[in-house]
Amino acid sequence: MSTVRYKTSPDPVSTDGRDIDRKIAELAGEAADQQASGAAGKHIEKQAGTWTQLPQPHAADPTYYDRPLLNESVWGWAIPTYYYVGGLAGASLALGAALELQHAAKFDRLIRRCHWIGFLGCCVSGALLVYDLGKPQRFLNMLRVFRPTSPMNVGAWILSGTSGASAAAFFFRQAGYAAGLFGMALATYTGVLVSNTAVPLWNASRKVLPVLFAASAVTSAGSLFELFDQDEDEARVTRAFGSVGKLAEIAASVIAEQHASQVARVGRPFQRGFSGFLWRTAAVLTAGSVVMNLLPRPTRGKRLASGILGTVGSLLMRFALEQAGNASARDPRASFHSQREPLAQ
Amino acid sequence: MPGQPQAAPVKGFFTDTTLCIGCKACEVACKQWNQLPDDGFLFTGMSYDNTAHLGASTWRHVAFIERPAPLHPQNEGAFSWLFSSDVCKHCARAGCLEACPTGAIIRTEFGSVYVQPDVCNGCGYCIVSCPFGVIDRREEDGRAWKCTLCYDRLRADMQPACAKSCPTESIQFGNLEDLRKQARERVEKLHSQGMREAYLYGESAASQPGTEGLHAFFLLVDKPEVYNLPPDPIVPTKTVKDAWTAMAAGALGIALAALGAAFFAHKNGAQS
Ligand code: SF4
Ligand code: SF4
């Protein structure tokens, strides 16, 4: 990989950004095999951005030219989508196991659906995670160690376990119970994963995010089932399950915002900018969905509306959280203030 | 710790920012020795700093601070220059290392924190787990990179390229214990010469409990924020127990919601 520089000069050079003459030098340094195209480092450029206003020195509340302190996450759309899909799969499997306990033939179709959504959700989850890796062909390295200090490593094991158990449930119904237990972990560990970071907004809401993710997973599952053809018994289950999730999701998101806003600068992305807009919209959609659930005289139309609103709402919530975290990572004062004003607890 | 190589004395950097003249020899030496590619030529408009930040291909970064405040012995009235060469801190409790799910990031026999490029799969978790914004992923490459404390040079009994090239000995390399002693003496000397602002940043677990001390620590003369250093960084795993507890509560919540919904629908529904 290389680009041509000084194109208009009589002596253009082709370089990968190292400017090493391979005829006389050997590439043997620690970073010798770092792939580089020779094009400008987009990441640094994006981070540096352009000033719209000259940063003013601020003796009481200084920053380094208002530049970010932290490196913002490199995760793309696949990761918040995975939070949604993994949550959906996990909560479905948990519901499947709970229905199994009732030993009622009328729930058989719903249980099968739970297992299918759980299994397919695990497959899609794996694909999304591999897709987002910088080196997708090395995805199996996730399982070369067991490392409890890394929620991502623990999560890789949880996802493997859930996949296995949900596949087994097609052959032995008893495996559905194991899948349900794994599913509960799958739907919630992602909350620990984002909390366990230096990103001020995520870290400040660490006592709530796993609960928020749990609630959102229940919302996702409840809402998706509402989009299927359902008989009255099935509809009763998913409406009850979904509306509990939706109410809990709204409550948890309010509390998460409160926790983050204990330091004003940290919680700001929840209130302002694009992330704030997504965050509010998600809450409104989820609220709309639960209203559809609780209106008297359930109809098919209300059920579908609830399913769509709830699905979009919980998906949007994951993206809002991702955006809000990135915005707080870009704001050096979010980190500085959160470290200067230690919470009185 | 199991699997840890037999420990040689722990090595580290002491960066005395009062000696730095902003020549960027360290940046150049690092790029050359490690054969790092450039990361674009950017005009930032921030004083003489066009490097901007540490990243996947920038393992030393000199900050240029034009400060509207006097500093003895710079005789510039209400203005002074501060320079500081930033680097990976090789934290005693390293956020990147604890977060890495593949075990690509290891603690070496010199006590430094090293990313094995043949193991890293580019998941990006270390990037959000470093409280200093050091490690980063290069887009074309797909893996995470940062300062290695010149692991290859240390193995060959040489000092890191940046320290070797620093013309003012602003960057000092050595045994961590010796560096700490030297640094304390230096602060005392500066104090006696009238530079009362001088202090050490991250030199011990006591002064920075959140990271349990840095193997690359600094002598500063203004707030850490001025140099784009966090005032009180905490490795995320120190507080993660809160999140695991919340996860247990969340999982329990899912179980209750599922059992409740199933039970309620079964009781209220048509008999089967
Ligand atoms: S400064 Fe960041 S990248 Fe360096 S050892 Fe500490 S946590 Fe890891
Ligand atoms: S990007 Fe590489 S070094 Fe960083 S946490 Fe992931 S596997 Fe480990």
Side-chain angles (χ1 to χ4, degrees), chain A residues 53-124:
Chain A
Q53 204 188 334
L54 267 190
Q56 291 300 313
H58 195 311
D61 189 14
T63 64
Y64 184 65
Y65 301 101
D66 288 352
R67 285 195 48 81
L69 162 74
L70 301 173
N71 284 329
E72 154 186 358
S73 100
V74 290
W75 296 329
W77 61 268
I79 297 302
T81 310
Y82 160 68
Y83 298 152
Y84 167 81
V85 177
L88 170 68
S92 300
L93 290 168
L95 181 63
L99 289 170
E100 192 80 64
L101 277 178
Q102 304 299 325
H103 300 291
K106 63 183 173 185
F107 291 138
D108 275 358
R109 183 171 74 160
L110 189 52
I111 293 174
R112 254 196 324 277
R113 276 186 188 160
C114 286
H115 291 167
W116 269 109
I117 291 182
F119 176 71
L120 291 178
C122 286
C123 299
V124 174

Side-chain angles (χ1 to χ4, degrees), chain A residues 78-94 117-118 120-126 128-129 158-159 162 182-190 213-214 216-218 220-221 315 318, chain B residues 254:
Chain A
I79 297 302
T81 310
Y82 160 68
Y83 298 152
Y84 167 81
V85 177
L88 170 68
S92 300
L93 290 168
I117 291 182
L120 291 178
C122 286
C123 299
V124 174
S125 294
L128 288 167
L129 290 176
I158 292 176
L159 179 58
T162 318
F182 269 119
M184 280 153 49
L186 180 66
T188 46
Y189 91 87
T190 39
F213 277 39
S216 179
V218 173
S220 315
L315 191 57
R318 314 296 193 142
Chain B
I254 296 181

Side-chain angles (χ1 to χ4, degrees), chain A residues 74 133-134 141-142 147 150 152, chain B residues 96-97 99-105 114-116 119-127 129 135-137 142-145:
Chain A
V74 290
L133 292 178
N141 282 6
M142 287 285 181
R147 174 171 281 188
S150 169
M152 191 181 277
Chain B
C96 59
L97 187 152
C100 178
T102 63
I105 307 186
Y114 180 81
V115 191
Q116 304 171 88
V119 178
C120 169
N121 67 10
C123 71
Y125 200 28
C126 51
I127 298 166
S129 301
I135 191 164
D136 208 352
R137 190 167 93 180
R143 287 170 294 179
W145 297 85

Side-chain angles (χ1 to χ4, degrees), chain A residues 9 15 18 116 143 171 214 245 299 321:
Chain A
S9 84
T15 176
R18 286 188 173 83
W116 269 109
L143 303 177
F171 306 103
T299 61
L321 198 68

Side-chain angles (χ1 to χ4, degrees), chain A residues 89 97 106 116 119 121 171-172 178 192 214 258 283 294 297 304 309-310 324 329:
Chain A
K106 63 183 173 185
W116 269 109
F119 176 71
F171 306 103
F172 323 97
V192 183
Q258 275 171 2
L294 300 181
R297 270 178 286 111
L304 287 180
L309 288 171

